[in-house]
Amino acid sequence: MGSIPMNDGINNDDKVVETVMVGRYMEMEHEGEPSKKTAKSRLSSLLWHGGSAYDAWFSCASNQVAQVLLTLPYSFSQLGMLSGVVLQLFYGLLGSWTAYLISILYVEYRTRKEREKVDFRNHVIQWFEVLDGLLGKHWRNVGLAFNCTFLLFGSVIQLIACASNIYYINDKLDKRTWTYIFGACCATTVFIPSFRNYRVWSFLGLLMTTYTAWYLAIAAFLHGQVEGVKHSGPKKMVLYFTGATNILYTFGGHAVTVEIMHAMWKPQKFKAIYLLATAYVLTLTLPSAASVYWAFGDALLERSNALSLLPRTAFRDAAVTLMLIHQFITFGFACTPLYFVWEKAIGLHDCRSLCKRAAARLPVVVPIWFLAIIFPFFGPINSAVGSLLVSFTVYIIPSLAHMLVFRSAQARENAVEPPPRCFGGWVGVYSVNAFIAGWVLVVGFGFGGWASITNFIHQINSFGLFTKCYQCPPPPQPPAMLPAAPFPPASSPAAAASVLSAPSPSPSPFSPFLHGLHRLHHHRRGR
């Protein structure tokens, strides 16, 4: 399908653009359907080959509400109840807006390339390529650096979370040993080709986090408030902005938005998907975080994993197990774009052999494994990643990129998807973009970066690098040995003899020694 001239007798430019887009996407949709509907192909389509708007919704929602669900009560203890709720709503809206901007830029880039007859059937478009095509190589390099670093540490966080959670079921091994084990398990994600193959995993992952969220809410409510509970947050600026950047990180999971869109048969349907996913995620995060903070209060400041404060029951063990499986899924979500970048760098991205691609992807897992062992700080690392990486990758770069791509009147006139009037047109979009970029730069990156790095350094000073068991309860101490009672002073040799000759109530390893003293005493009396 070649490019279609903009002046072909049709007065409505939107219809021409729609023909270009929908024609190409419909062609891809038919290409993705099996030609023969056998039982095997139906099962594969049901579990493996996803590309619908529902698949994208499950992927977005499942990717947002991963292990961060367990750290939000910790953030509430740093922020206080009111700030915790308000910031979740605020950053949820900001994250949905910038995901919308990314989807607009993706559609713009793809449409331009397809008019040039570029074929993407064996190529996954990524965010840095969108920036390259629309703004040039300098933006590509910046986007690539931030996005890859964010996804790298996002994968690290999943490994840390796996070790932190399994410890509450089986504490016979320390968390560092569990990190070794789960690093090997998560390496199996190299065999999942693309986001289109996460259909059943995304669905199951969201069910798992839904169970865990409502378990936290109900269990905390039934547990009730601990004796002497205090809700003193916020009481320190460092803690306040650390908690705020953790929430910023919560709704910044769309570093994989472009890859999820590319997996869709009709990517133009993505625009509202992230907003709907965020709305569902809020029904999980708000009740669970508020309930746990209400029950335990300031105790959460020393326990960044909410599961550590709830009593061990079959329901809690089920929540831990389900979160472990979901974190494996989320590790794949975060790592798959890194696999794509690595494949493109070594020239294997278009390879049809799954085994060759899997073997080539393995080196990506090694640094993730290593960093999870160095920085096992569950909770504080979320805030550091949020302030230093998510702030630019998810909020600032998309806002600035959208403003620069459509800065000229010609670009705005020929935009594939101009902003709707309900947003205030181009003026309204530019105003929102400028506000987001300024707010996140000052509050998220500036104050949040200062607070997160301060807290992170505190964790290093307190626990050290390569710590074996971060925030583990201290091992039980053996009972203290009581000092031996002295013999009472003997008033007479006979009394002393009676003390020494008194029989022991039970056999003792010191019996021969006492017997020797007894014989020595009688020998001296004989002299």
Side-chain angles (χ1 to χ4, degrees), residues 258-276:
V258 172
E259 289 83 359
I260 292 175
M261 285 188 69
H262 191 82
M264 296 175 66
W265 303 127
K266 297 180 180 179
Q268 73 269 30
K269 290 186 176 181
F270 184 85
K271 290 188 291 294
I273 285 176
Y274 201 90
L275 178 62
L276 296 175

Side-chain angles (χ1 to χ4, degrees), residues 481-489 499-500 514:
M481 298 295 292
L482 296 176
F487 288 120
V499 171
L500 290 174
L514 295 175

Side-chain angles (χ1 to χ4, degrees), residues 69-400:
L69 180 71
L70 306 178
T71 64
L72 285 174
Y74 167 66
S75 297
F76 270 49
S77 69
Q78 297 170 320
L79 294 164
M81 186 73 78
L82 178 61
S83 291
V85 172
V86 170
L87 285 177
Q88 279 203 42
L89 296 172
F90 177 67
Y91 282 122
L93 286 174
L94 261 60
S96 300
W97 175 263
T98 53
Y100 166 74
L101 297 181
I102 292 173
S103 70
I104 295 298
L105 294 174
Y106 169 85
V107 170
E108 184 75 26
Y109 167 78
R110 182 162 179 168
T111 304
R112 292 184 187 182
K113 289 296 180 182
E114 286 178 349
R115 287 171 181 164
E116 299 170 3
K117 301 182 180 180
V118 177
D119 192 348
F120 292 111
R121 281 176 294 184
N122 294 323
H123 183 92
V124 177
I125 299 174
Q126 295 187 265
W127 175 231
F128 71 92
E129 293 171 319
V130 173
L131 292 174
D132 186 20
L134 297 177
L135 293 173
K137 65 178 182 179
H138 296 300
W139 278 85
R140 176 200 65 194
N141 295 338
V142 171
L144 182 63
F146 274 104
N147 212 46
C148 288
T149 309
F150 168 41
L151 292 171
L152 179 74
F153 278 97
S155 304
V156 169
I157 288 170
Q158 302 311 315
L159 277 188
I160 296 171
C162 286
S164 178
N165 288 340
I166 191 63
Y167 183 79
Y168 298 117
I169 292 181
N170 187 339
D171 59 0
K172 293 181 180 179
L173 299 177
D174 57 77
K175 292 182 180 180
R176 188 169 68 188
T177 303
W178 281 119
T179 304
Y180 293 139
I181 295 170
F182 278 98
C185 295
C186 290
T188 58
T189 57
V190 298
F191 290 99
I192 302 178
S194 71
F195 281 95
R196 192 168 291 161
N197 308 116
Y198 275 97
R199 163 170 279 185
V200 67
W201 294 114
S202 299
F203 175 74
L204 293 176
L206 194 57
L207 289 182
M208 294 168 186
T209 48
T210 299
Y211 169 86
T212 303
W214 285 110
Y215 159 74
L216 289 173
I218 295 171
F221 179 76
L222 294 178
H223 183 279
Q225 291 184 315
V226 296
E227 185 178 355
V229 63
K230 294 182 179 179
H231 301 88
S232 57
K235 62 180 182 179
K236 290 184 179 180
M237 291 285 287
V238 170
L239 294 180
Y240 186 87
F241 285 106
T242 301
T245 52
N246 187 40
I247 295 180
L248 179 142
Y249 170 79
T250 303
F251 297 98
H254 43 283
V256 297
T257 298
V258 172
E259 289 83 359
I260 292 175
M261 285 188 69
H262 191 82
M264 296 175 66
W265 303 127
K266 297 180 180 179
Q268 73 269 30
K269 290 186 176 181
F270 184 85
K271 290 188 291 294
I273 285 176
Y274 201 90
L275 178 62
L276 296 175
T278 299
Y280 180 78
V281 166
L282 287 170
T283 68
L284 304 181
T285 58
L286 287 173
S288 60
S291 298
V292 176
Y293 178 55
W294 168 81
F296 297 100
D298 290 353
L300 285 159
L301 290 171
E302 304 298 327
R303 287 288 184 270
S304 53
N305 190 332
L307 292 173
S308 65
L309 291 170
L310 292 168
R312 182 173 180 179
T313 63
F315 294 105
R316 195 192 80 160
D317 287 354
V320 172
T321 303
L322 293 177
M323 284 303 293
L324 286 172
I325 300 172
H326 183 259
Q327 280 150 3
F328 164 81
I329 299 168
T330 310
F331 181 92
F333 273 125
C335 226
T336 299
L338 295 176
Y339 295 153
F340 293 155
V341 173
W342 179 248
E343 288 171 356
K344 293 171 184 177
I346 63 177
L348 278 180
H349 186 58
D350 57 352
C351 178
R352 296 301 184 97
S353 172
L354 180 59
C355 292
K356 286 184 179 179
R357 291 178 66 187
R361 290 172 169 188
L362 281 174
V364 177
V365 181
V366 176
I368 296 170
W369 209 348
F370 186 64
L371 288 170
I373 296 167
I374 298 178
F375 306 113
F377 310 127
F378 186 82
I381 194 172
N382 290 14
S383 299
V385 171
S387 61
L388 302 179
L389 300 173
V390 175
S391 57
F392 279 93
T393 302
V394 173
Y395 298 95
I396 296 175
I397 292 178
S399 299
L400 295 179

Side-chain angles (χ1 to χ4, degrees), residues 451-508:
S452 300
I453 293 302
T454 302
N455 188 35
F456 199 76
I457 292 173
H458 173 70
Q459 303 301 316
I460 294 175
N461 293 335
S462 301
F463 297 93
L465 302 177
F466 297 99
T467 182
K468 291 184 67 175
C469 215
Y470 175 70
Q471 287 189 343
C472 294
Q477 297 294 328
M481 298 295 292
L482 296 176
F487 288 120
S491 59
S492 66
S498 65
V499 171
L500 290 174
S501 61
S504 176
S506 60
S508 169

